[in-house]
Amino acid sequence: MSFTDYIKKMLTGQLRNNPHSADQIAPQTSSGAIEKTGPTLLAIDTASTSLSTAVLVNGEVKGELYEDMERGQAENLMRFIAESLDQAGITFDEVDGVAVTVGPGAFTGMRIGLATARALGLARKIPVVGVSSLEAVAYGVSERDQQGRNILVALDSKRNEIFAQAFDGKKRPLSAPECVAPRQALMMAPPGDTLLAGDATPRLLTAAAHAPDAFYDCTTPGLPRAGNVARIAAARWGTDENLPPVPMYLRAPDARRIEDQGPAKNKPVHEE
């Protein structure tokens, strides 16, 4: 049995019993038919130091799971997906598409999530779409925290630089995502009060100590949540605004191939 066949059998209940049915979570019309509003999406995030899954049904997030997990994402992801589907009361056959974070983030984590999302899409022949990790964090900022202010999202790259992107008061991108030093990241925000979000916020606050503009911390989770990934993907469903399911690399990997290490590899030997 192939990997994709195994996934399909497991998540459609052929390898486990699912006591729930779709009529428990969707309203019915007078004729008894289920009235569906929007796509039913499975969302996955493994692009950072956490693991999160969720299901969006009729515009409502169900079965959202989140756990800080720097290692072990590959071993636990399928269990999380199965549990999210169970809690949402649906089987994988009822899912219209898969939404997955494409980064920026950890190289290994991005590959785990994307490989799984693609396998699931292949198993059912359903669309797989990408969502930026930075946008997923910005989307999670509450209106009480934001109060119309711009947002600067900063995610830890585990190096001297951070992954950053600025958003306006309506959470629309104001800049491209970049991998920059904290002081450079602060310059991405337009003039005026700016709310900081993401797990690299403490580094930005330190760099902003003597900045001319005001920068504020917020209460939003510092890492992406699958529920927000699903909401973003659903809002763009049927358009070309969702990202392709490919990794968003903002910096080169630490391990480079010998042929990529520049001209020094071919340094001529001078005979005496």
Side-chain angles (χ1 to χ4, degrees):
M1 183 186 301
S2 70
F3 176 60
T4 53
D5 286 339
Y6 177 81
I7 290 174
K8 184 175 181 180
K9 286 180 178 296
M10 185 181 74
L11 295 182
T12 55
Q14 295 179 45
L15 295 181
R16 61 181 178 88
N17 293 322
N18 189 337
H20 304 287
S21 60
D23 59 3
Q24 293 176 295
I25 48 90
Q28 294 188 352
T29 64
S30 57
S31 62
I34 297 174
E35 183 181 357
K36 185 175 179 180
T37 57
T40 297
L41 300 179
L42 169 67
I44 298 169
D45 171 59
T46 60
S48 55
T49 55
S50 63
L51 172 57
S52 181
T53 58
V55 177
L56 187 75
V57 183
N58 292 322
E60 182 180 353
V61 172
K62 295 177 177 289
E64 184 170 27
L65 302 175
Y66 175 92
E67 185 175 329
D68 291 327
M69 190 179 297
E70 192 160 359
R71 287 178 172 79
Q73 294 167 317
E75 294 81 3
N76 289 282
L77 178 53
M78 294 309 302
R79 175 176 61 84
F80 270 54
I81 291 173
E83 188 170 341
S84 286
L85 289 168
D86 271 343
Q87 291 186 15
I90 67 171
T91 66
F92 187 50
D93 276 341
E94 297 168 80
V95 173
D96 299 317
V98 182
V100 59
T101 45
V102 298
F107 288 101
T108 300
M110 283 190 285
R111 288 194 294 268
I112 291 169
L114 284 164
T116 303
R118 288 170 178 169
L120 293 171
L122 181 62
R124 279 280 323 285
K125 295 181 173 59
I126 55 177
V128 179
V129 298
V131 173
S132 160
S133 304
L134 293 160
E135 187 170 10
V137 172
Y139 195 92
V141 174
S142 69
E143 292 300 323
R144 186 175 69 175
D145 273 345
Q146 188 176 3
Q147 298 179 15
R149 293 176 289 198
N150 297 315
I151 303 171
L152 181 60
V153 178
L155 297 178
D156 192 355
S157 73
K158 304 301 180 183
R159 297 294 182 269
N160 293 330
E161 299 84 13
I162 59 176
F163 301 126
Q165 187 175 16
F167 298 84
D168 67 13
K170 295 184 178 180
K171 301 177 181 177
R172 297 174 299 198
L174 291 173
S175 69
E178 296 186 52
C179 184
V180 294
R183 289 186 181 277
Q184 291 176 293
L186 293 175
M187 297 173 62
M188 296 169 67
D193 293 353
T194 300
L195 195 67
L196 303 178
D199 64 343
T201 291
R203 296 178 63 185
L204 285 187
L205 288 171
T206 299
H210 303 290
D213 293 311
F215 292 91
Y216 300 89
D217 196 359
C218 70
T219 61
T220 187
L223 295 173
R225 298 295 177 109
N228 291 325
V229 173
R231 291 185 181 100
I232 293 171
R236 298 170 175 170
W237 198 252
T239 73
D240 59 358
E241 295 180 30
N242 277 310
L243 300 175
V246 296
M248 182 187 293
Y249 292 136
L250 298 185
R251 63 176 176 83
D254 296 324
R256 295 186 299 170
R257 299 180 303 174
I258 293 177
E259 59 266 32
D260 293 336
Q261 292 182 2
K265 68 180 187 302
N266 293 323
K267 185 181 294 183
V269 177
H270 299 284
E271 295 181 357
E272 297 182 356

